[in-house]
Amino acid sequence: MNNFDFYAPARILFGRGEENRIGQLLAPHAKKILLHYGGGSVKRSGLLDRVTASLKAAGVEYVELGGVKPNPRLSLVHEGIDLCRKENVELILAVGGGSVIDSAKAIAMGVYYDGDVWDMYEQGKGIDKALPVATILTIPAAGSESSGDTVITNEEKQLKLGYGNSHLRPLLSVMNPELFFTLPANQLANGVADMMSHVFERYFTNTTHTDLTDGLCETVLRTLMKNALIAKDDMTNYDAWAELGFSGTVAHNGLVGMGRDQDWGCHNMEHELSAIYDVAHGAGLAVLTPGWMEYVYKDNVPMFVQFAVNVMGVSGSYRDPDAIVMEGIRRLREFFRKMGLPGTLAELGIGEDRLEEMAKKCTGAAFGSEHPVGGLKKLYWQDVLNIYKLVK
Ligand code: NZQ
Ligand code: ZN
C-alpha cells in the first residue's frame, strides 16, 4: 500500500425531501447566490420551483443562469463569471448533474482570476480561493458532488480538459434519490458506466497489499451492476436509486483509490471523443473500457483474474487464466449491452478518420510533448490508437 493523504470534506445530505431545506442550509453562508442549471429538466420536474421557494423562505437572494449543456462549455462559464461579479454573488448552487456542477466550479474559481479561467485547465495553475459551491444532484454519475474536480469543453479548441483542486470540493451536496426518477433510460446507463469507470480507474493497479480498497471497489461495482438492472426495469424504485446514488459518491470521493497507483487511461481516451464528437461521457467509457481491458490485461493477469472472479462471478480453471479474464470482459460487455449502452465507436457515430488525431491529442504527442496516459500499462499515442481501433 502506498502512502496517502485522505481528506474528503463534502457534506452529503441524503434522502427524501432534503432539497426542500436548501434555503435554510445556504442562508448561513450567503446572502446572494447564483442558481445554475441545465437545459430544462429541473423546470419540467418542478424541482426548480421548490428550490426557489425554499430560497425565498430563507431570505436568500438569487440570480439564475440556466442552459448548461452536457460536456459543459467554456463560453457559458465566461458568462457566469461576469454575472457573479456584476451581482456580487457569494455562493453558487448547482442544480443538476456533473455538467452543471463542473460549470459551477469553473465559474467559482474564475470569479477570482484576472485571466481566462481556461488557463487552469490548460496549464494546471494553482488557485488559492473559489466561491463556495453547493449542489442538488439530479443524476448519479460523475461524482462531482463530492469531488474537487471539474471537466470543461473549450468548444473553439475542441478540447475537453479536467482540473482538480481542493478549493473546488462542494460545501454541501443534497442527494434525494427521488430526483433521479425522471431520468431517461439512456442517462441511467451512461451514469452507471461512468460510476463503474471511476472505480475501475482506481481498482486496476500494479500496487500490492491493497486488500481493503480491493474489497471496497468490488462491492461498489457489484452494487452498481445489481441495482442498475433493477432501476432499468423500474425507474421509480427508490431503493435501487439510493444504492446507485450513494455508490456514485463513494466511487469518486477518493476513498476507494487510497494507497494505490491509479490508472485514468480510459477517462483520458474518452475525453477526446467527447471533445470532438460531443458524445455522452459514460457511453464513450462503455465502448472503450472492455477494449482497454483486452489490450492491457497481459501486463497484470492476476489483477484481471481477480476482477473476473470477484466482480463478474466467473469460475474456471486456474490453469487457464486468460480464459477467465476473457470471460470477465465478455460478461462486462454483456452487462453494458443489457443496459442499452453502445459497444463500438461506430455506434457512437465516430468514424475512423480522426482516430490518429485524437490519439495524439490524448497523450500530448500532437502538441510536441508526449506524456503517456494510464497507470497499469503506460499508453503512448500508438497504444491509444490501437485501442480506438480495437473498438471501432
Ligand atoms: O440539462 P438537463 O435538461 O438538466 O438534462 C440533463 C442532461 O441532458 C439530463 N438530466 C440530468 N438530471 C436529470 C436529467 N433528465 C431528467 N431528469 C433528471 N433528474 O441528463 C443529461 C446529462 O447530464 P450531465 O450533467 O451531463 O450528466 P453527468 O452527471 O453524467 O455529467 C457528465 C459530465 O461530468 C464530467 C463528464 O466529463 C461530463 O462532462 N465528469 C466530471 C467529473 C468530476 N467533476 O469529478 C468526473 C467524471 O469522470 C466526469 O468526467
Ligand atoms: Zn467519469
Side-chain angles (χ1 to χ4, degrees):
M1 197 185 296
N2 302 338
N3 289 10
F4 64 84
D5 177 345
F6 182 59
Y7 182 61
R11 179 179 174 199
I12 307 287
L13 294 116
F14 183 92
R16 290 184 173 96
E18 288 293 318
E19 70 279 10
N20 296 324
R21 59 191 185 105
I22 192 69
Q24 230 178 296
L25 289 163
L26 298 188
H29 301 281
K31 287 193 193 67
K32 190 168 193 180
I33 69 163
L34 175 71
L35 185 52
H36 202 31
Y37 52 87
S41 71
V42 294
K43 286 189 177 163
R44 288 191 297 277
S45 66
L47 174 60
L48 202 65
D49 288 341
R50 284 186 285 126
V51 169
T52 52
S54 172
L55 292 173
K56 281 177 194 155
V60 178
E61 284 178 58
Y62 60 89
V63 285
E64 289 185 39
L65 180 64
V68 179
K69 293 190 174 129
N71 298 321
R73 312 297 202 266
L74 182 62
S75 49
L76 192 73
V77 169
H78 288 152
E79 219 180 290
I81 292 169
D82 291 343
L83 186 61
C84 285
R85 286 180 180 152
K86 189 170 134 242
E87 298 285 343
N88 293 319
V89 159
E90 294 170 327
L91 180 149
I92 305 176
L93 173 61
V95 185
S99 295
V100 177
I101 301 172
D102 287 3
S103 179
K105 290 174 179 175
I107 296 168
M109 65 177 161
V111 164
Y112 291 115
Y113 183 61
D114 285 338
D116 186 345
V117 70
W118 183 248
D119 292 350
M120 312 306 178
Y121 297 84
E122 207 158 44
Q123 299 162 22
K125 285 192 175 183
I127 55 169
D128 51 23
K129 61 177 173 175
L131 287 176
V133 171
T135 87
I136 298 178
L137 189 70
T138 62
I139 169 172
S144 191
E145 71 280 3
S146 71
S147 80
D149 303 327
T150 156
V151 189
I152 294 292
T153 295
N154 182 326
E155 57 271 53
E156 278 173 23
K157 295 191 175 183
Q158 289 198 323
L159 283 175
K160 183 174 180 184
L161 296 177
Y163 178 76
N165 193 290
S166 57
H167 291 291
L168 300 180
R169 237 180 241 274
L171 172 76
L172 59 88
S173 288
V174 168
M175 185 187 295
N176 173 1
E178 285 178 337
L179 302 182
F180 308 151
F181 289 0
T182 52
L183 278 164
N186 69 324
Q187 294 299 352
L188 158 67
N190 293 341
V192 168
D194 191 20
M195 294 186 283
M196 289 178 71
S197 181
H198 294 158
V199 180
F200 289 150
E201 301 285 20
R202 295 167 166 104
Y203 180 65
F204 290 105
T205 185
N206 296 322
T207 311
T208 53
H209 301 292
T210 52
D211 293 355
L212 175 69
T213 43
D214 283 7
L216 293 174
C217 286
E218 289 161 4
T219 301
V220 175
L221 289 168
R222 287 192 304 264
T223 305
L224 284 169
M225 286 191 291
K226 173 182 161 187
N227 288 284
L229 293 173
I230 298 171
K232 177 178 158 286
D233 292 334
D234 179 5
M235 292 293 278
T236 58
N237 187 312
Y238 180 89
D239 298 318
W241 281 116
E243 299 281 2
L244 292 169
F246 193 19
S247 294
T249 295
V250 174
H252 201 46
N253 75 353
L255 175 67
V256 303
M258 286 305 108
R260 41 206 300 142
D261 292 342
Q262 302 186 14
D263 197 276
W264 297 100
C266 287
H267 265 69
N268 278 293
M269 290 189 285
E270 196 293 310
H271 286 169
E272 301 307 323
L273 311 184
S274 289
I276 294 182
Y277 296 96
D278 200 18
V279 301
H281 173 60
L285 289 167
V287 170
L288 291 170
T289 302
W292 169 82
M293 289 180 171
E294 281 168 0
Y295 192 79
V296 307
Y297 86 88
K298 285 222 158 53
D299 279 47
N300 192 336
V301 174
M303 181 80 249
F304 283 87
V305 170
Q306 185 179 326
F307 163 69
V309 173
N310 289 358
V311 180
M312 304 311 295
V314 179
S315 59
S317 166
Y318 293 138
R319 288 169 294 169
D320 192 359
D322 293 80
I324 294 178
V325 172
M326 293 314 288
E327 176 59 14
I329 298 171
R330 192 196 66 73
R331 289 186 188 187
L332 178 66
R333 277 207 171 94
E334 185 180 60
F335 167 75
F336 285 155
R337 276 271 172 239
K338 266 194 209 159
M339 293 302 298
L341 285 157
T344 61
L345 292 178
E347 287 169 63
L348 285 171
I350 299 177
E352 289 181 55
D353 47 324
R354 298 183 76 176
L355 297 185
E356 185 172 321
E357 176 192 343
M358 290 192 292
K360 287 184 171 162
K361 278 168 81 182
C362 181
T363 65
F367 313 110
S369 63
E370 179 155 46
H371 301 287
V373 297
L376 185 134
K377 179 183 175 68
K378 285 199 187 322
L379 305 173
Y380 293 85
W381 76 263
Q382 289 92 343
D383 298 301
V384 173
L385 182 59
N386 288 339
I387 293 170
Y388 286 152
K389 284 185 173 168
L390 257 179
V391 297
K392 69 180 190 211

